[in-house]
């Protein structure tokens, strides 16, 4: 019972409740062992089980304590016992009696204890049995100290210098509170080491193991306790200490880079963008059985803020047998600097440290301009000109740029003025020139770039007016100007230079620039314009005290700050001083706007030579509480340049000088300063780049205005004067960037803190402090191996080596060289003896000692170092090196990240052995060319082959220069001069795939090629395939099953839709054929990967059983093969093509989607979203390709804007009716002065199944802006859609040549020639698309194409299916419309389009149906033959037919009687055709559809003649068709009268009436005379009505000399010509008057006056012939203008050209053959016969 009570009292304190399960189990095990140790022991005496002793504890004097003694019979018989009382009086029990115990029974005997004094009592209680006697001890104990714990404790494995700990329990099993003290040997420690334990309590002891040596420990720990501390309990401690081990892997999967000298592992970050962090992880692996803690230390001893390498983990623990990824970060700050650092990983006890060499280079933006000079030539005053310029970033680092120009105050403007270019991005810049004065304008605009040197853009332009025409400035003048500037000639006016050139004091060099005669003689070379670094040019631009060239015109001050002003009262003007430093008169013209708050008075001023003049800067604020900042601009030029007449020599034209004046002020009051709180971001570095003594260091700052208000900035004068800042003041628009350039010449080797105070919005509250550190970098090398180097004793002729370590502790790249005496060079040598050491780099130099005598050597060597930018000494001359057999090695086109090897053969044609060393230099940063051997010996008259290995990393053209130098026999480390022996080139390429053509079949057969290209986004896909792949796309270079999910991860940012359109359910699949081509220069593997193709095959138990909707949808699509591709992968050689079939099966109604990955191995990876719609049977469905449609831009002011097309496609199986709501169009019209901006010409209509309907729109803008309207389109009985229509109106006078009016602006990107071959297709069109370009209205255009029958045995029948004619569409005609082509024949087809009278965009599709009928005709003939046979043929199968016929002939015929119904015998078995043997009628083959696209843009006649006047003679103008206005707006053709059927009675009435009329005409004599008179009239064109009689009568009248012009004919002629021009009418009237005169003269000659008649006969005859010639000319002109004649002439010309082209296509005529000249024989003179 005491033990049970002790167990109940035992419990862990509340503070121990959070112990681990391991320690709790250990405590329970300890408790169990102790309880087992102190458990009451029992014995068995002759079958009686009883305890060995009864113990009384915790008893008290004077009180009776009772214990019970239990006897149990465990034998199989009845036992009899007797007992005797204890001998002392302190223990007693009941009176003795006999005890009988049956088997298994127990008996309890109470024993009482009555103590009288405090001591221990001992007695016995004896039992007597028949077998013998036994006794039980009775003992009463006093309270004592007793502690218990485990006897043995096993510690876990521990690493050397590491710590492990274990918990165990110490129990107080005694009766008194006990103090304890632990004693354990090293390296063990206990916590707590001392303590107090109450009776029955427990204490948790922590045992700490911290070994320093790898041993097996088996020690004893002693716990002392008791009153005097003389009692103890022991515990045996066992532990094992092992040495830890950490293995460092930089790249475990590939070969690691090792420093060949120091054998350190190298972590190369490669190039990294400036200001951005790169991360790399190295692997720490612990192969030992113990945990391995570690710490990381860096070797960088420079300034803390200059560290570019870091690790967020400085210490940690690698678990036993586990691995740990250690991140390393690289954040460079200085562009172009290669950084090196060393990280050392220390395990416990520093037993085996690992040093990593970390390298990385910093790359910055690489912005460039497509052109550095923009020439506007000349424009008139008041006009505005615009030019475009491209700025691109060729680097992987984003680039922030800013053009230093005020667009609001300058005549030039650059848009955008600032911005950011992402990696490999380009942006279009717009430069505008809007002059305000007739002057020469030239400005050199600096483009400031963050982390890059500035770029400079020269903008030139000249302004003319009707009165003033200055000399025109061109780019060649800038080149001459810079040369003249270097030669000091710009200080003289152009007229002076011209005079000196005429006087031959000057001459011109080969570039046309002026130079002195002394320089031309050759004594002195003429000066050239030097190459000035951009930063130097920017800071020394003439506005400071230090300049490169003397200035011509200066202005003071450069910055004027009016401060706080009032908008009511203008502040006092600020005086300006303009100084002319030239020898000519200068004119200064200010170009500020009249409405601006700042102005300079006077705006135009002349400054005499070497004089100065004053001007005033006035400030008139217009609004209160506003900031005013601007940069005023003035152009100074020589006064003689005002007129081009003053310039005699073109080379003397100088550009103008741009003067800039910064003016600022504000009108805020003191209490309103909180209104303009600036919101900005300032990106500033902390250090200036390292430079040596007396060198300039540059930095850039970036400021971004993230607010919505303009802010001003200004650097306060309290800023450090050592720093030069440009610009010092200005303003920043919302969302714009401002870049500052800082320069400093540091002094002193100690770090100096510099401060810049940047104030915003003229408010002292808003000052931003910029702190920068700078110092002059010392040239220091740390010799880590000391200054004394000892060599071990070496025998003569032998050599010994010793490494020597040096370290560059500066931030500069240093060049070093060892120097020692010439005699010492025979004994010692060092490798390398000279070279370059990077900042913080540690190099190991190997010294070699080669003694030549027995003595002690003491040699002094000196290491010289200098900045790498300083020039080195001249190299020693050396003999010519060896040469290469091939001077140029071309690796060809090499796949990026793959290796290519070439062999280079070195030749030694000399007679001695050469010791050579090779060097490789390259133009671009990137992969180095690896040479199998860099140094060696080449014997005399021999050759050696060296393998070259190249591995491109980008798609670039690489060029390497391989140089060779010879090493002397005295010192191999002193090479000779390097000479080029070979040039190696290589082009890194990616595999390039492109889509050439597309074609649809099946349900997609009704989709045109143009619409199909849009549905499949093929143009965008081709543009994506041409680009370089990203690094993420190259995660898996080949198709790989990498995903465990049914929706694989996507490693590409590119996503496109492959839209198969819509079709009814159950119809034939939609099939699309794509023609793929390898347009690159290397073979490629392509594949289309479904999600299942990218999934790793898992076991059944590993797969998930719950799927979301997307996964279930994709599973259904893939399981039912709704989308399929044949083939799914392939291989293409360069230039090879392959057709891929895409099938979409219409199985389930709804929208089906499936992401398919297009993977080009080692190339692009594009995610294609397959989309298809299946419509239920009888359901309506209209497929909208997009919810946004943009019209082609239209110029404002056009009276007849063109019609534009919007297409609707019916993807259902039933016709649909559409209705376009026009209410929104009327709302737009009401907002635009009742002008119809948008017009829909056919808002209602139907769409046939599988067809496309064109909806005609007219977009007519009245302003140069973008119009947009959301138009609802209702599909009757179906859904509705809202389409957003947008249109852009532009002003052609402002846009100029950049206006899109001249372009057709067609969206048809399909190829003009069909390249795709569909299975079963035997006919092809020579062109699949015809673009007529810009055509006038009412014109006819024709094109010749060929229909080719590629079959070798089957003819084809073709027919063109054209839509019915309407006035909304142009008249189209194909000749011939149908026909047959023999095998291999080419049929010419002439496609003609007559444009309507409306300006319109045409995008039409002509369909040619082609059938192959050979097999069909054979099957049809066989079917008809079989049908005829089955109609007349049957078979009788009766056996005894002949016997029955014989009997019938012998017997008499029976009498004739009523015949019974005929019943055929059963034996007759007519063989009728069975149902299964029915021969079906052969089906006519489905025609093959060939699509011919026809696109054009028709302009009205005024626009066409204005923009394409030179092309107008190429077109034939046909007259417009007759039309009439219907009740609506559309125009319809007048139908021909209906040919109704008449009855016989009506026909007889008509016949009788006509008979009477004809008979009356035959009897009318007057009618006969009129007919005869009409026959003799001169009909000019309709000669088919003439007869022989009329011709004979005409000849008779001509021979008699009378004029043949009758009044009736003249009247008809006048009537026919009344619609001609005025000149023609005048000519006709004059001709008619001459006829009247001649007729009157002829009539005036009477027969009696024959003498006069004979005298005037010749005159009249001559005048009559003149009259006939004049009439003939008039008739020809009239005929040439008749429409019928024009049509005939056009038809004849077209037929001639078509015949020539057809004969050329057949090979009958060779058009390219040179014409032959046939020389005729000389003509013989005729001999006269006598």
């Amino acid at each position: 019972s005491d033990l049970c009570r002790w167990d109940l009292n035992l419990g862990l304190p509340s503070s121990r409740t959070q112990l681990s399960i391991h320690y709790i189990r250990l405590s329970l095990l300890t408790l169990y062992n102790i309880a087992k140790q102190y458990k009451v022991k029992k014995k068995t005496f002759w079958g009686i089980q009883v305890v060995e002793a009864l113990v009384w504890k915790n008893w008290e004097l004077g009180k009776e304590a009772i214990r019970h003694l239990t006897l149990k019979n465990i034998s199989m018989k009845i036992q009899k016992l007797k007992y005797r009382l204890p001998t002392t009086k302190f223990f007693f029990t009941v009176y003795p009696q006999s005890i009988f115990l049956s088997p298994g029974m127990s008996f309890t005997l109470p024993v009482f204890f009555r103590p009288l004094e405090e001591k221990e009592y001992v007695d016995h209680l004896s039992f007597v049995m028949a077998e013998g006697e036994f006794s039980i001890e009775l003992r009463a104990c006093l309270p004592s100290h007793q502690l218990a714990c485990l006897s043995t404790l096993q510690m876990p494995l521990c690493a050397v210098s590491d710590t492990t700990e274990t918990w165990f329990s110490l129990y107080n099993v005694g009766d008194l509170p006990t103090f304890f003290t632990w004693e354990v040997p090293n390296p063990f420690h206990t916590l707590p080491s001392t303590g107090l334990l109450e009776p029955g309590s427990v204490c948790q002891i922590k045992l700490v193991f911290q070994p320093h040596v790898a041993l097996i420990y088996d020690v004893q720990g002693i716990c002392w306790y008791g009153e005097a501390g003389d009692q103890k309990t022991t515990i045996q401690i066992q532990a094992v200490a092992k040495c830890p081990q950490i293995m460092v892997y930089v790249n475990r999967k590939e070969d690691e880079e090792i420093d060949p000298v120091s054998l350190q592992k190298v972590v190369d970050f490669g190039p990294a963008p400036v200001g951005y962090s790169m991360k790399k992880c190295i692997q720490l692996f612990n192969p030992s059985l113990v945990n391995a803690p570690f710490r990381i230390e860096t070797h960088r001893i420079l300034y803390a803020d200059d560290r570019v390498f870091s690790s967020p983990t400085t210490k940690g623990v690698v678990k036993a047998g586990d691995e740990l990824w250690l991140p390393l970060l690289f954040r460079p700050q200085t562009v172009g600097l290669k950084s090196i650092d060393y990280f050392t990983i220390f395990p416990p006890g520093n037993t085996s440290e690992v040093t990593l060499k970390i390298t990385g280079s910093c790359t910055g933006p690489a912005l460039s301009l497509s052109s550095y000079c923009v020439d506007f030539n000349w424009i008139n005053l008041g006009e505005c000109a615009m030019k475009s310029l491209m700025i691109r970033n060729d680097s992987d680092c984003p680039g922030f740029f800013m053009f230093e120009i005020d667009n609001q105050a300058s005549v030039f403007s650059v848009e955008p003025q600032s911005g950011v270019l992402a990696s490999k991005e380009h942006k279009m810049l717009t430069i505008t020139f809007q002059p305000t004065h007739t002057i020469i304008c030239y400005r050199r605009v600096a483009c400031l770039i963050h982390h890059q040197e500035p770029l400079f853009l020269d903008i030139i332009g000249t302004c003319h007016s009707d009165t003033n025409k200055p000399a025109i400035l061109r780019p060649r003048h800038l080149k001459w100007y810079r040369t003249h500037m270097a030669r000091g000639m710009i200080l003289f006016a152009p007229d002076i230079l011209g005079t000196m050139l005429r006087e031959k004091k000057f001459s011109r060099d080969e570039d046309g620039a002026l130079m002195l005669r002394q320089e031309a003689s050759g004594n002195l070379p003429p000066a050239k314009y030097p190459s000035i670094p951009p930063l130097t040019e920017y800071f020394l631009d003439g506005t400071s005290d230090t300049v490169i060239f003397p200035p011509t015109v200066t202005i003071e001050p450069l910055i004027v700050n009016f401060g706080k002003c009032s908008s009511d009262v203008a502040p006092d003007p600020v005086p300006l001083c303009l100084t002319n430093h030239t020898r000519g008169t200068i004119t200064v013209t200010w170009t500020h706007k009249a409405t601006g708050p700042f102005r300079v008075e006077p705006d135009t001023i002349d400054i005499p030579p070497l004089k100065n003049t004053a001007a005033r800067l006035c400030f008139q604020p217009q609004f209160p509480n506003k900031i005013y900042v601007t940069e005023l601009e003035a152009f100074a030029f020589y006064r003689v340049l005002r007129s081009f007449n003053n310039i005699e020599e073109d080379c003397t034209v100088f550009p103008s000088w741009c003067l800039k004046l910064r003016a600022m002020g504000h009108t805020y009051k003191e209490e309103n300063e909180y209104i303009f709180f600036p919101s900005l971001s300032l990106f500033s570095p902390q250090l200036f780049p390292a430079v040596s003594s007396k060198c300039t260091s540059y930095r850039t700052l970036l400021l971004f205005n993230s607010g919505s208000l303009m802010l001003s900035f200004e650097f306060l004068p309290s800023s450090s004067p050592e720093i030069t800042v440009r610009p010092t003041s200005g303003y920043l628009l919302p969302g714009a960037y401002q870049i500052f350039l800082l320069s400093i010449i540091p002094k002193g080797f100690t770090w100096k803190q510099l401060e810049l105070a940047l104030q915003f919005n003229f408010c002292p509250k808003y000052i931003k402090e910029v702190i920068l550190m700078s110092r002059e970098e010392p040239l220091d090398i740390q010799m880590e191996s000391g200054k004394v180097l000892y060599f071990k004793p070496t025998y003569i002729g032998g050599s010994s080596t010793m490494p020597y370590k040096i370290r560059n502790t500066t931030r500069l790249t240093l060049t070093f060289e060892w120097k020692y005496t010439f005699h010492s060079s025979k004994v010692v040598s060092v490798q390398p003896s000279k070279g370059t050491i990077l900042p913080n780099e540690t190099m190991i130099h190997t010294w070699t000692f080669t003694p030549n005598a027995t003595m002690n050597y003491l040699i002094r060597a000196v290491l010289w170092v200098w900045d790498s930018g300083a020039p080195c000494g001249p190299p020693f001359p050396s003999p010519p090196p060896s040469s290469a057999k091939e001077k140029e090695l071309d690796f060809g086109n090499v796949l990026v990240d793959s290796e290519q090897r070439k062999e280079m053969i070195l030749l030694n044609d000399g007679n001695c052995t050469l010791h050579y060393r090779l060097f490789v230099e390259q133009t671009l940063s990137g992969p180095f060319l690896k040479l199998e051997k860099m140094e060696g010996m080449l014997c005399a008259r021999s050759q050696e082959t060296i393998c070259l290995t190249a591995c491109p990393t980008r798609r670039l053209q690489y060029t390497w220069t391989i140089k060779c130098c010879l090493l002397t026999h005295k010192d191999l480390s002193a090479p000779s001069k390097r000479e080029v022996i070979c040039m190696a080139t290589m082009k890194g390429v990616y595999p390039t795939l492109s889509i050439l053509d597309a074609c649809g079949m099946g349900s997609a057969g009704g989709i045109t090629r143009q619409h199909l290209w849009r549905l499949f986004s093929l143009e965008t896909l081709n543009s994506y395939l041409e680009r370089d792949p990203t690094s993420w796309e190259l995660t898996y270079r080949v198709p790989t099953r990498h995903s465990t999910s049914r929706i694989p991860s996507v490693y590409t940012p590119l996503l496109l839709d492959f839209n198969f359109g819509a079709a009814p359910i159950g119809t034939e699949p939609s099939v699309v054929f794509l023609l793929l081509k390898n347009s690159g220069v290397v073979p490629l593997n392509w594949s289309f990967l479904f999600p299942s193709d990218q999934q790793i095959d898992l076991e059944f138990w590993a797969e998930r059983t719950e799927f979301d909707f997307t996964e279930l949808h994709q599973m259904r699509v893939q399981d039912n093969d709704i989308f399929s591709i044949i083939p799914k992968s392939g291989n293409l050689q360069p230039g090879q093509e392959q057709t891929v079939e895409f099938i979409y099966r219409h199985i389930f109604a709804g929208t089906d989607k499936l992401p398919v990955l297009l993977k080009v191995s080692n190339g692009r990876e594009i995610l294609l979203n397959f989309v298809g719609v299946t419509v239920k049977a009888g359901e309506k469905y209209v497929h909208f390709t997009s919810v946004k449609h943009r019209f082609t831009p239209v110029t404002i002011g056009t009276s007849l804007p063109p019609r534009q097309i919007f297409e609707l496609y019916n993807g259902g199986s039933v016709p649909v009716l559409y209705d376009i709501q026009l209410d929104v169009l009327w709302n737009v019209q009401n907002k635009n002065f009742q002008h119809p901006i948008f017009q829909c010409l056919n808002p209602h209509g139907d769409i046939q199944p599988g067809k496309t309907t064109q909806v005609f729109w007219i977009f007519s803008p009245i302003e140069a802006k973008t119009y947009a309207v959301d138009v609802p389109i209702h599909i009757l009985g179906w859904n509705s859609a809202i389409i957003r229509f947008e249109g852009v109106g532009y002003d052609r006078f402002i846009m100029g040549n950049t206006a899109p009016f001249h372009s057709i602006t067609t969206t048809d990107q399909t190829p003009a020639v069909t390249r795709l071959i569909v299975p079963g297709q035997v006919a092809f069109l020579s062109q699949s698309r015809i673009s007529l370009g810009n055509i006038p209205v009412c014109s006819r255009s024709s094109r010749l194409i060929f229909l080719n029958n590629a079959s070798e045995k089957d003819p084809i029948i073709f027919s063109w299916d054209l839509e019915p004619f309407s006035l909304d569409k142009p008249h189209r005609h194909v000749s011939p419309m149908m026909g047959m082509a023999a095998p291999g024949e080419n049929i010419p087809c002439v496609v003609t389009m007559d444009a309507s009278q409306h300006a319109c965009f045409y995008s039409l599709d002509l369909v040619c149906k082609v059938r192959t009928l050979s097999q069909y005709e054979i099957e049809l003939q066989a079917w008809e033959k079989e049908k005829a046979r089955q109609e007349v043929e049957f078979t009788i199968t009766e056996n005894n037919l002949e016997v029955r016929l014989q009997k019938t002939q012998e017997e008499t015929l029976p009498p004739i009687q009523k015949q019974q119904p005929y019943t055929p015998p059963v034996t007759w078995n007519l063989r009728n055709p069975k149902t299964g043997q029915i021969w079906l009628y052969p089906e006519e083959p489905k025609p093959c559809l060939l699509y011919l696209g026809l696109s054009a843009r028709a302009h009205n006649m005024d626009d066409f003649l204005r923009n394409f006047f030179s092309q107008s003679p190429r077109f034939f103008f046909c007259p417009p068709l007759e039309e009439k206005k219907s009740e609506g707006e559309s125009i319809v053709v007048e139908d021909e009268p209906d040919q109704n059927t008449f009855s016989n009675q009506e026909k007889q009435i008509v016949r009788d009436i006509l008979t009477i009329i004809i008979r009356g005409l035959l009897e009318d004599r007057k009618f006969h005379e009129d007919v005869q008179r009409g026959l003799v009239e001169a009909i000019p064109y309709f000669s088919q009505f003439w007869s022989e009689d009329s011709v004979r009568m005409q000849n008779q009248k001509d021979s008699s000399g009378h004029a043949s012009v009758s009044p009736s004919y003249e009247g008809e002629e006048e009537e026919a010509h009344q619609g001609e021009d005025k000149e023609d009418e005048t000519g006709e009237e004059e001709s008619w008057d001459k006829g009247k005169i001649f007729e009157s003269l002829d009539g005036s000659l009477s027969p009696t006056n024959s003498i006069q008649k004979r005298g005037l006969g010749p005159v009249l005859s001559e005048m009559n012939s003149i009259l006939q010639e004049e009439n003939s000319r008039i008739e020809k002109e009239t005929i040439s203008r008749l429409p019928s004649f024009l049509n005939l002439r056009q038809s004849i010309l077209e037929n001639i050209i078509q015949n020539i082209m057809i004969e050329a296509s057949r090979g009958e005529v060779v058009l390219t053959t040179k014409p032959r000249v046939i020389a005729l024989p000389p003509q013989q003179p005729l001999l006269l016969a006598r």
Side-chain angles (χ1 to χ4, degrees), residues 986-999:
M986 179 190 64
K987 185 176 183 181
V989 296
Y990 282 105
T992 305
L993 185 70
S994 60
I995 311 298
L996 295 185
D997 202 356
C999 179

Side-chain angles (χ1 to χ4, degrees), residues 1375 1390 1687-1702:
S1375 178
V1390 179
N1687 292 332
L1688 179 61
R1689 184 180 61 181
Q1690 179 71 12
S1691 177
I1692 292 174
L1693 293 176
E1694 286 184 354
N1695 290 333
I1696 293 173
I1697 296 175
Q1698 292 170 12
N1699 291 335
I1700 295 174
M1701 295 300 297
I1702 293 172

Side-chain angles (χ1 to χ4, degrees), residues 1126-1245:
I1126 303 174
K1128 294 180 67 175
S1129 61
N1131 176 271
L1132 291 176
Q1133 296 297 322
Q1136 188 178 359
E1137 301 174 359
Q1138 186 174 2
T1139 303
V1140 181
E1141 181 180 6
F1142 297 82
I1143 303 175
Y1144 170 51
R1145 297 175 176 86
H1146 304 279
I1147 302 176
F1148 305 102
T1151 302
D1152 299 309
K1153 295 183 179 180
L1154 183 66
V1156 179
L1157 188 68
L1158 171 58
K1159 177 64 180 178
V1160 180
S1161 298
N1162 299 301
R1164 298 247 63 177
E1165 185 175 298
I1166 301 175
L1167 186 63
L1168 306 176
N1169 187 20
F1170 281 25
V1171 180
V1173 178
T1174 301
V1175 185
K1176 296 181 181 179
E1179 184 179 355
K1180 299 179 179 179
Y1181 182 82
V1182 175
H1183 184 72
F1184 294 95
T1185 307
S1186 175
V1187 296
K1188 183 178 180 180
H1189 181 77
R1190 179 180 288 273
F1191 292 118
T1192 303
V1194 178
T1195 180
I1196 61 176
T1198 302
S1199 58
L1200 297 174
R1203 297 183 178 185
Q1204 306 197 40
I1205 299 172
F1206 175 69
E1207 294 182 347
L1208 296 176
Y1209 176 71
N1210 183 5
S1213 59
V1214 296
V1216 297
L1217 300 177
Y1218 69 90
D1219 184 12
I1220 300 178
Q1221 302 297 318
L1222 304 180
D1223 298 339
V1224 292
L1225 304 184
W1226 297 335
N1227 296 335
V1228 176
Q1229 180 176 344
N1230 294 333
K1231 296 179 181 179
N1232 290 274
F1233 312 102
Q1234 299 301 324
H1235 180 77
I1237 302 297
F1238 296 98
Q1239 300 180 60
C1240 181
L1241 303 183
N1242 49 341
H1244 317 288

Side-chain angles (χ1 to χ4, degrees), residues 707-738:
S708 59
L709 298 176
M710 183 192 77
L711 61 88
S712 67
F713 60 88
E714 182 181 11
F715 283 93
L716 299 180
S718 60
S719 301
S720 299
E722 295 89 348
I723 301 179
T724 304
V725 184
R726 293 288 180 87
T728 58
S729 61
Y731 69 96
L732 197 57
L733 296 176
Y737 295 90
Q738 175 67 44

Side-chain angles (χ1 to χ4, degrees), residues 512 739 1211 1293 1541:
I739 298 175
F1293 298 102
T1541 57

Side-chain angles (χ1 to χ4, degrees), residues 268-490:
D268 187 10
F269 281 86
V274 60
Y276 292 83
S277 297
M278 288 187 65
K279 180 179 179 182
K280 276 198 173 184
C281 294
I282 61 175
Q283 184 182 12
L284 304 182
F285 178 66
N286 181 10
S288 61
L289 300 177
V290 295
N291 295 341
F294 66 91
R295 75 178 192 277
I296 300 176
E297 292 183 3
T298 60
H299 295 187
R300 191 75 171 178
I301 60 177
L302 297 178
Y303 193 74
D305 293 333
D306 196 31
R307 291 180 179 174
V308 295
F309 300 100
S310 63
S311 175
T313 303
T314 58
K315 60 181 179 179
V317 178
V318 184
K319 300 296 183 181
D322 201 357
E323 62 183 19
L324 178 67
W325 290 95
L326 181 65
L328 301 177
L329 301 179
F330 176 44
R331 185 181 180 86
Q333 298 294 338
T334 304
V335 177
L337 180 64
K338 185 176 182 180
S339 304
I340 296 180
D341 207 345
Y342 299 86
F343 281 15
T344 303
I345 302 175
F346 292 93
N350 302 338
T351 54
S352 57
E353 69 219 28
V354 178
T355 301
L356 299 176
K357 182 179 180 181
I358 307 176
T359 63
S361 60
C362 179
T363 61
L367 270 65
S368 62
L369 300 174
S370 60
S371 176
Y372 293 90
C373 180
V374 177
D375 180 18
F376 286 94
N377 203 342
W378 68 273
I379 63 174
N380 291 322
L381 183 64
E383 294 182 353
C384 178
M386 301 177 66
K387 294 278 188 178
S388 297
L389 188 68
M390 184 72 71
I391 183 171
R392 65 174 64 251
N393 183 11
D394 297 326
S395 174
D396 295 329
C397 176
F400 299 86
F401 68 91
M402 182 208 73
F403 285 90
E404 199 174 26
I405 188 173
D406 191 349
N407 290 339
Q408 301 177 359
S410 175
V411 296
F412 301 105
S413 64
V414 181
E415 292 291 340
Q417 189 257 347
S418 65
V420 58
L421 286 178
S423 172
K424 307 298 181 182
E425 186 185 10
H426 62 273
K427 186 176 293 185
M428 188 67 68
L429 302 176
T430 302
I431 294 90
T432 305
F433 177 43
Q434 190 172 5
T436 58
H437 299 77
T438 55
I439 58 175
I440 296 175
C441 298
Y442 163 67
R443 182 163 181 174
R444 188 169 175 83
V445 181
C447 178
L448 306 184
I449 305 171
H450 193 39
H451 294 301
Q452 184 185 334
E453 294 181 344
L455 303 176
F456 293 93
L457 176 64
D458 293 327
I459 310 177
I460 57 178
T462 307
C463 179
H464 283 184
S465 66
D466 296 336
T467 57
N468 297 329
K469 296 185 183 298
I472 300 176
L473 186 65
R474 302 309 303 271
R476 63 178 180 274
H477 297 135
L478 298 182
K479 182 179 179 180
W480 291 335
Y481 168 76
R482 293 188 177 97
T483 304
H484 295 160
M485 183 189 302
R487 298 173 182 175
M489 298 180 181
I490 62 171

